[in-house]
Amino acid sequence: MGIDQLFETALHDHQYVCLRQRLQLRAAASTAIAVITDFRHTSAVEDRAMDKRYYLERCDTEGRERLAVPRLPCVIGRDPSCDLLLDENRISRQHARLSIAPEGLLIEDLGSTNGSFVDCRRIEAPTLLQPGQRLHLADHELELVIDRPGGATLVQARSGPAPGDTIIGYTGDPAGFPLLAPAFYELLNQCLIEIEHTPIKTPAGLPHAELLRCRSRHRSLPADSADLMNIGRELGEEARLGTLLRDEALQAADAADLGPRLFIEQHTAESDAPASVFDELDRKAAEYPHLELIVLLIGPVDELIDWLKVLAGRVPTRFRLALEGADAALADHLPLPVAPNYLQVRAADFSGDDMQALIASLKAAGSRTVAVCGDSGAKPPEAADLVCQN
């Protein structure tokens, strides 16, 4: 290669390096601009938020006391370290957190015991909170108020149920929040459950088992286990309630030396994942080996079938199974995914072709039929193997 060609090659390489350096500098500059733009956007959101003054106005106190939100994010709770101290019953140490979002403020529950609610609906994820919306931390009602620069106050029209409306399962108070919620949480936190036991006998009067029923012993909340479970489901506390009912029933029965056969109620409303409930029932059966647990499934037909399908993949279990046959439509699902050891039917419901078909099918599979009689002097149906005087 000649001198001219070497010089031309070196010049080309130098130009290539310079060009590459310029491109790298341009790319770095673009990245920096993008970062600055993103920073400016975030800062703008924060600046817009901090241009306003935020308050939580208490609706459950005289004079509607205003609690200033000192900073964002803001942790609310009864622990002295919280940004906004709310030292009240049923408020967790770190109950909820307010934070900034481009569209406004977000409220997030921090795993509190008694829940956070926006417009009377329990929140499971960070939720947008607008002025005028109802925020409940446990049963304490608050309302977001924003003071804009210049003294203007933003309080939008209230959302959610109107005063006096009834929320599913509850009677609304003047602010629309369930009156039963405070009593329900007191019941949960203080284990205010009483256990009733009813003997199950043969038609000849020989003892066979005990049926355990749970009731509230809260003075402001008279309710049986079905009503309690409906309340728990609306408040998102059905699993916690179910565990409490099982624990209280078995502890009371063990202390009273009942048994060995015990029917315990299990409502399908407790869980959309029955496998976890069956796991717990197996653990309970192992914890009380001297007792023969008979789990009485109670619920709508479609939920009963779903639970039976899950149970079909788990047989055998440490407990035995009873099925409430309150709806003769169960006959439409014969053969059932799992044949129960017992079918419980009200004495008045024994008649009817569908119920007779259900009883006959399950008897052929080895089930025993328990007739629930309302009148202690009433004669049980002939098809009944066992009798429970309700």
Side-chain angles (χ1 to χ4, degrees):
M1 181 181 293
I3 295 282
D4 292 341
Q5 288 178 316
L6 287 172
F7 178 78
E8 184 178 347
T9 300
L11 180 62
H12 179 271
D13 289 344
H14 175 72
Q15 290 173 336
Y16 172 76
V17 169
C18 291
L19 177 61
R20 185 173 179 179
Q21 289 175 340
R22 285 198 299 272
L23 289 174
Q24 288 173 339
L25 288 172
R26 185 176 299 173
S30 299
T31 301
I33 291 170
V35 170
I36 291 170
T37 302
D38 184 67
F39 171 77
R40 286 176 177 172
H41 173 73
T42 303
S43 298
V45 170
E46 293 176 350
D47 289 344
R48 286 198 302 272
M50 298 316 295
D51 279 345
K52 309 164 188 173
R53 292 189 295 274
Y54 295 93
Y55 300 88
L56 292 178
E57 192 170 84
R58 298 195 60 166
C59 306
D60 55 357
T61 60
E62 270 188 61
R64 294 178 69 91
E65 175 190 7
R66 279 192 178 186
L67 306 174
V69 176
R71 63 182 62 84
L72 290 169
C74 174
V75 175
I76 307 167
R78 60 182 178 84
D79 191 280
S81 66
C82 290
D83 302 305
L84 198 162
L85 183 63
L86 193 60
D87 190 8
E88 300 285 356
N89 291 335
R90 294 177 292 282
I91 296 294
S92 295
R93 292 184 180 278
Q94 291 191 330
H95 197 106
R97 176 169 49 224
L98 287 168
S99 57
I100 302 170
E103 59 272 26
L105 290 189
L106 294 178
I107 182 73
E108 177 185 3
D109 187 80
L110 298 178
S112 67
T113 299
N114 296 318
S116 303
F117 305 78
V118 173
D119 286 342
C120 304
R121 298 289 181 186
R122 185 165 191 149
I123 61 171
E124 304 293 345
T127 301
L128 186 65
L129 182 65
Q130 300 281 12
Q133 282 188 296
R134 301 164 185 225
L135 170 65
H136 283 87
L137 304 181
D139 57 309
H140 299 280
E141 184 178 1
L142 304 148
E143 183 176 341
L144 177 64
V145 177
I146 301 177
D147 278 357
R148 295 188 181 281
T153 301
L154 181 60
V155 181
Q156 294 180 354
R158 274 186 167 271
S159 56
D165 276 3
T166 298
I167 300 173
I168 299 172
Y170 307 109
T171 301
D173 67 4
F177 190 72
L179 272 174
L180 299 183
F184 179 82
Y185 283 120
E186 286 179 357
L187 177 145
L188 280 184
N189 295 334
Q190 300 174 31
C191 303
L192 299 178
I193 298 294
E194 64 181 9
I195 311 301
E196 301 174 347
H197 62 94
T198 306
I200 296 176
K201 301 179 179 180
T202 68
L206 299 176
H208 179 78
E210 294 281 347
L211 171 60
L212 304 181
R213 291 192 177 100
C214 299
R215 293 190 59 83
S216 163
R217 59 182 179 88
H218 192 290
R219 64 185 182 277
S220 302
L221 183 58
D224 61 14
S225 61
D227 291 335
L228 289 175
M229 192 57 69
N230 286 335
I231 298 170
R233 197 172 199 175
E234 288 299 323
L235 291 174
E237 297 285 4
E238 62 272 29
R240 185 178 167 202
L241 173 65
T243 298
L244 173 64
L245 296 181
R246 284 186 290 276
D247 287 346
E248 292 296 305
L250 291 174
Q251 289 171 14
D254 192 40
D257 201 23
L258 297 179
R261 292 192 191 94
L262 295 178
F263 281 66
I264 60 172
E265 297 177 317
Q266 175 58 57
H267 295 272
T268 59
E270 179 182 335
S271 178
D272 293 328
S276 60
V277 178
F278 290 141
D279 286 339
E280 186 181 338
L281 288 166
D282 264 332
R283 288 193 295 270
K284 288 297 178 187
E287 186 179 340
Y288 295 90
H290 56 292
L291 298 176
E292 182 181 328
L293 296 190
I294 302 163
V295 176
L296 176 61
L297 276 187
I298 302 171
V301 169
D302 56 342
E303 291 183 6
L304 288 175
I305 297 301
D306 288 342
W307 279 57
L308 291 178
K309 288 177 180 177
V310 173
L311 187 60
R314 302 173 58 89
V315 175
T317 59
R318 293 176 182 269
F319 56 86
R320 304 181 78 189
L321 178 67
L323 205 59
E324 184 189 57
D327 193 337
L330 271 171
D332 296 336
H333 298 271
L334 291 173
L336 299 180
V338 175
N341 303 100
Y342 299 87
L343 177 68
Q344 179 176 287
V345 183
R346 291 190 299 266
D349 294 336
F350 265 69
S351 59
D353 292 342
D354 286 344
M355 185 59 74
Q356 289 296 320
L358 178 63
I359 293 172
S361 174
L362 293 183
K363 273 180 175 279
S367 299
R368 306 179 77 175
T369 303
V370 181
V372 180
C373 301
D375 185 353
S376 59
K379 184 179 179 180
E382 291 184 6
D385 301 300
L386 300 163
V387 180
C388 177
Q389 300 291 349
N390 193 10

